Amino acid sequence: MSNFVTVGTMAPSDGPPMAAAVNGTAPIEPPSELYQGRRAALPLDIVVVGCGLGGLAAAFCLAMAGHKVTILESAATIGEIGAGISLSPNVTRLLIRWGLEKRLHEVAVKPGAQTLRRWCTGETLCRIQWGDPMAEKYGALPYHVHRADLHRMLYDLAEPHVNIRTNCRVVSMNPSIPTLMLKSGEIVHADLVIGADGLKSTTRQFVVGKPDEPRSTGDAAYRAVIPTDILLADPDLRSLVETPEMTTWLGPQRHIVAYNIRAKEEYNIAMCYTDQDPPEELWRIEESANRMTEEFVGWEPRIQKLLSLIPSTLKWKLMDRAPLETWIHEDGKLALLGDACHPMLPYAGQGAAMAIEDAAVLGNLFSHLSSRAQIAPLLHAYEALRYERATNAQTFSRLNKATLHLPDGLEQEQRDGKMRAAMEDAPKKIRDEVPVGDTDANTKGNTSQRNNEKKIAIQYGYDADEEAEKWWHQHGKSEIGPLRVPSTS
């Protein structure tokens, strides 16, 4: 545990200070068994490259499936950069299943709603009820949490079951054996390698077959955290803490998302905008508050007050990659996970969720392993189960930016009108009434709204374990179950 940052900050060589994780005291209650009690009949030596959210989740799930797992992390000290993160029901159901419910209750915040507002006036365009209605509909609650706290939870969950090695930078590998060469010169052998090394992945190039760098989107994000006692002392800002919800202000080429984290002790603000700085600028830098406030001149008074409380901020260049044709090396002993294969822009709040879902599916499938002949087929099953969903989430996130950042004008007015109509119809839906005028002029808007609700239901109602179990019973049991390594005698 000495390798984990828990107090103060640390300054890595290539970025700003890391956030300190809250020392949660609530017990983690890992399940005595996952995957209906299955553990692999043939345990593998698995190396996970990267100790981020996806890497820790994958290591835990594979260990619970009965495998011997080692994480190789390039940093000398374990920690996590970032601020708040929104966890939707599709991921919180997994965290709770893994025994993290009490820790979530301790350090996270349950938002009661999502409110969308006009940038210059603060007018409410739409308010979507979350809380109990969402739990009833999707079987789990959403949470807001500091990224460092989520990382610490997953570290505490995985650490008793896996070997975590720090200061182990992978510089090369032979994916066919597979072996990995570390910067120190050490050669690490494994039966299977999972590349969970993020947007700047080293392992990705061995799947692609050449160096593959992320590209700049031309956008950037400021992130900051404000102590909530300051907001509570201001009559104009107090309600942002007293009524915890996700608030999104929509503006031209910009938007701001804000919510409570750390048991309502801190208020997280993320500000996305079109960046005018050169694309070759550092990915993450600490920047003055003046530069930040210049990007949001004219925004409503509460925004101006919030920005005035931020002495300095972290700026992230938003980088992206096109979807890969495959996440699996041709020899079937290296697979990618999370941002290494499907990085998400922050316009839909699904980046961490997709990585953690990947981990759950991978662990579930590999709990069936009984022969080395099944390794490659199970990896391709993992890809088949996850590729379309993760790629769709990538695409939706990119498209959602355009909706959030519409310039003032006709399209923006039409968008705002649809949002207001959706808010007016919400109480009728709760009472199971048919919205008035669900024909003629309103048909197109209501159809679009129903389509959007269907997409949300698919996203939030997803259960990674259920999908993996269903696939095994429909396909895996007959197609992969009988596979065995050919006898050499």
Side-chain angles (χ1 to χ4, degrees):
M1 301 296 291
S2 60
N3 286 329
F4 202 99
V5 177
T6 55
V7 293
T9 59
M10 62 170 281
S13 59
D14 61 347
M18 285 191 175
V22 167
N23 285 316
T25 59
I28 289 176
E29 299 176 343
S32 57
E33 59 183 37
L34 282 177
Y35 319 129
Q36 301 181 6
R38 286 188 312 274
R39 290 177 70 85
L42 176 66
L44 299 178
D45 284 320
I46 300 177
V47 166
V48 175
V49 182
C51 195
L53 301 177
L56 285 167
F60 169 74
C61 289
L62 289 165
M64 294 300 287
H67 300 286
K68 181 182 177 183
V69 184
T70 298
I71 297 177
L72 299 179
E73 168 56 41
S74 61
T77 309
I78 303 294
E80 181 62 82
I81 281 180
I85 185 169
S86 180
L87 300 175
S88 48
N90 48 305
V91 67
T92 61
R93 79 172 81 256
L94 295 173
L95 300 178
I96 291 168
R97 187 174 295 154
W98 297 346
L100 293 172
E101 185 169 17
K102 290 183 178 179
R103 188 71 68 88
L104 278 170
H105 287 170
E106 181 182 32
V107 302
V109 176
K110 291 184 282 188
Q114 178 186 24
T115 299
L116 305 174
R117 297 186 179 276
R118 182 107 167 95
W119 68 278
C120 52
T121 63
E123 173 201 355
T124 297
L125 301 174
C126 187
R127 190 171 189 273
I128 304 165
Q129 193 71 29
W130 283 2
D132 291 340
M134 184 173 279
E136 291 170 8
K137 194 167 188 178
Y138 304 120
L141 285 167
Y143 286 88
H144 290 149
V145 64
H146 197 294
R147 193 178 187 93
D149 297 341
L150 176 60
H151 188 261
R152 180 56 190 258
M153 284 184 225
L154 290 171
Y155 181 91
D156 289 348
L157 182 69
E159 192 266 344
H161 308 283
V162 307
N163 178 25
I164 300 177
R165 297 184 56 190
T166 57
N167 209 17
C168 290
R169 182 177 296 278
V170 175
V171 294
S172 184
M173 72 174 295
N174 183 331
S176 301
I177 298 177
T179 56
L180 304 101
M181 177 179 284
L182 306 185
K183 186 178 180 181
S184 65
E186 179 186 353
I187 303 295
V188 178
H189 295 262
D191 297 315
L192 172 63
V193 176
I194 303 300
D197 45 346
L199 182 66
K200 295 188 283 183
S201 171
T202 297
T203 56
R204 179 183 171 111
Q205 65 181 295
F206 296 99
V207 173
V208 176
K210 59 183 179 180
D212 179 42
E213 297 297 324
R215 59 178 179 81
S216 173
T217 64
D219 293 334
Y222 290 116
R223 292 187 173 101
V225 173
I226 304 171
T228 52
D229 55 358
I230 301 175
L231 277 66
L232 289 169
D234 188 315
D236 294 329
L237 303 178
R238 183 182 301 138
S239 64
L240 297 175
V241 180
E242 292 178 338
T243 307
E245 58 187 38
M246 175 187 284
T247 305
T248 305
W249 287 265
L250 308 183
Q253 287 81 50
R254 289 157 177 73
H255 80 283
I256 294 176
V257 179
Y259 47 79
N260 292 274
I261 55 175
R262 292 187 161 165
K264 293 173 61 174
E265 292 182 1
E266 293 179 352
Y267 195 67
N268 173 77
I269 307 177
M271 299 151 272
C272 296
Y273 67 101
T274 301
D275 189 24
Q276 303 301 322
D277 290 332
E280 62 270 15
E281 184 188 15
L282 290 173
W283 288 19
R284 292 190 296 257
I285 60 171
E286 190 164 5
E287 194 153 91
S288 73
N290 290 338
R291 284 289 305 276
M292 174 188 65
T293 54
E294 286 170 5
E295 297 291 344
F296 297 93
V297 171
W299 286 53
E300 69 134 312
R302 283 182 300 178
I303 292 296
Q304 300 307 316
K305 280 194 171 187
L306 288 169
L307 299 188
S308 72
L309 299 173
I310 302 171
S312 65
T313 182
L314 297 178
K315 172 184 171 181
W316 268 258
K317 287 280 189 179
L318 298 184
M319 312 296 286
D320 198 13
R321 292 183 186 270
L324 288 174
E325 291 184 7
T326 180
W327 302 346
I328 315 298
H329 183 267
E330 61 185 359
D331 289 330
K333 297 176 183 177
L334 165 65
L336 303 178
L337 177 146
D339 281 355
C341 52
H342 51 70
M344 305 278 164
L345 292 170
Y347 300 117
Q350 287 295 302
M354 291 298 102
I356 292 171
E357 286 181 4
D358 287 350
V361 168
L362 196 63
N364 194 306
L365 290 175
F366 272 80
S367 70
H368 294 282
L369 189 85
S370 59
S371 166
R372 292 181 184 276
Q374 298 170 337
I375 295 174
L378 285 174
L379 289 180
H380 287 289
Y382 153 70
E383 181 183 68
L385 279 166
R386 297 295 305 150
Y387 187 90
E388 183 178 2
R389 178 170 169 83
T391 302
N392 286 344
Q394 274 185 295
T395 302
F396 176 75
S397 186
R398 293 187 189 103
L399 294 175
N400 206 35
K401 173 207 165 178
T403 301
L404 295 172
H405 289 193
L406 285 175
D408 285 350
L410 179 59
E411 282 189 276
Q412 163 263 317
E413 291 172 0
Q414 291 173 338
R415 176 202 67 191
D416 294 355
K418 289 177 182 178
M419 288 182 176
R420 293 186 188 98
M423 181 169 60
E424 290 171 2
D425 283 346
K428 301 170 187 175
K429 289 181 179 293
I430 293 173
R431 296 193 300 268
D432 291 326
E433 295 177 8
V434 177
V436 175
D438 194 9
T439 56
D440 302 330
N442 287 333
T443 297
K444 186 175 180 180
N446 284 316
T447 299
S448 175
Q449 183 182 331
R450 285 194 296 270
N451 289 339
N452 189 52
E453 290 169 355
K454 184 178 179 181
K455 290 177 182 177
I456 292 172
I458 290 171
Q459 198 66 29
Y460 292 172
Y462 180 91
D463 187 318
D465 282 318
E466 282 187 5
E467 293 301 315
E469 293 287 347
K470 182 167 49 175
W471 181 88
W472 179 260
H473 288 291
Q474 292 178 350
H475 304 285
K477 192 172 183 179
S478 59
E479 297 170 12
I480 295 178
L483 294 178
R484 295 291 183 270
V485 175
S487 174
T488 57
S489 58

